[in-house]
Amino acid sequence: MDVKSIYMKANALLEGHFKLSSGNHSRYYLQSAKVLEDPKTAKQLADALAVQISESGLKIDTVCAPALGGLIAGFALATALDKRSIFAERVNGEMQIRRGFEIKSGERVLVCEDIITTGGSALEAAHAIEALGGEVVAFAALANRGFCKRNGSALDRKENCSLPENKPLFALADFDFEMYAPDNCPLCKDGSQAIKPGSRGN
Ligand code: ZN
């Protein structure tokens, strides 16, 4: 599956000067919402991801998505796997499981994002699940920014990946673009201002 052309066709691979949620700057931004606005494409991507997960033999009970970014991908993946779909959300900066969602002791949960960059939000969701007695067995995303090691990819894990090393990350593709610390960003040095995606209609 050519995930990059799916993103490009949907105008979901943006070029410019972006401030990512990690605080780093980048020339590119992936706007998964633009890909997922077409339910057929969302289903196609989630089905392919579900095949990877099923073929690995990993058993899961539940898919949990960190809101807001992971919601649609998580729901579509849970549908494809025929598993329960729940989400975690940030309340006063802290990722929590709310809405009456219950997690049984030892319940096997996969945390699903749209994109894994360093995996910070996914890890926070994992901690919230574990605090309720669930067992986080894997992570998944439609695409991986290339910092964490995707199951089956030749690219190695980088230092700033925050996901646990002993749990698999399933994703359909690596989008390995360069990111810059704000004080060492060539785009800033050229005088442009980084835009926070979503803040100006993108
Ligand atoms: Zn910059």
Side-chain angles (χ1 to χ4, degrees):
M1 169 175 281
D2 188 349
V3 179
K4 193 167 182 184
S5 35
I6 291 174
Y7 270 73
M8 288 181 76
K9 228 183 271 174
N11 289 322
L13 178 54
L14 308 177
E15 195 171 353
H17 181 190
F18 300 105
K19 183 178 177 181
L20 307 175
S21 59
S22 60
N24 290 317
H25 293 190
S26 170
R27 194 183 294 279
Y28 298 99
Y29 183 72
L30 291 163
Q31 181 53 279
S32 295
K34 279 292 290 170
V35 170
L36 299 172
E37 74 178 1
D38 176 15
K40 285 195 199 71
T41 306
K43 181 177 186 306
Q44 186 192 355
L45 292 166
D47 286 352
L49 192 54
V51 167
Q52 269 193 29
I53 294 164
S54 303
E55 283 180 350
S56 77
L58 187 77
K59 294 276 177 285
I60 69 156
D61 301 312
T62 297
V63 175
C64 179
L68 193 70
L71 284 181
I72 298 171
F75 181 79
L77 180 63
T79 306
L81 290 168
D82 193 19
K83 301 295 177 191
R84 190 160 79 104
S85 175
I86 64 172
F87 58 88
E89 61 200 293
R90 227 177 263 288
V91 182
N92 299 324
E94 191 197 344
M95 200 61 93
Q96 296 181 7
I97 307 288
R98 307 180 82 202
R99 316 271 170 177
F101 292 140
E102 287 172 17
I103 293 181
K104 294 191 189 78
S105 171
E107 186 168 336
R108 295 170 67 83
V109 182
L110 175 143
V111 175
C112 181
E113 271 281 19
D114 53 351
I115 305 282
I116 290 285
T117 304
T118 59
S121 300
L123 184 69
E124 287 178 60
H127 288 158
I129 293 157
E130 287 164 351
L132 296 175
E135 187 190 344
V136 174
V137 293
F139 295 85
L142 301 177
N144 173 37
R145 279 295 302 264
F147 299 102
C148 295
K149 168 114 176 114
R150 178 171 67 93
N151 202 43
S153 168
L155 286 180
D156 275 334
R157 175 190 173 93
K158 301 199 174 85
E159 217 172 74
N160 51 359
C161 174
S162 45
L163 297 182
E165 275 184 74
N166 60 348
K167 290 177 184 170
L169 166 64
F170 297 96
L172 296 171
D174 292 316
F175 283 93
D176 187 22
F177 341 117
E178 260 188 283
M179 293 204 314
Y180 312 105
D183 55 3
N184 192 28
C185 169
L187 304 164
C188 286
K189 282 182 185 146
D190 285 348
S192 75
Q193 281 256 321
I195 293 169
K196 196 161 187 252
S199 61
R200 288 199 203 163
N202 53 8

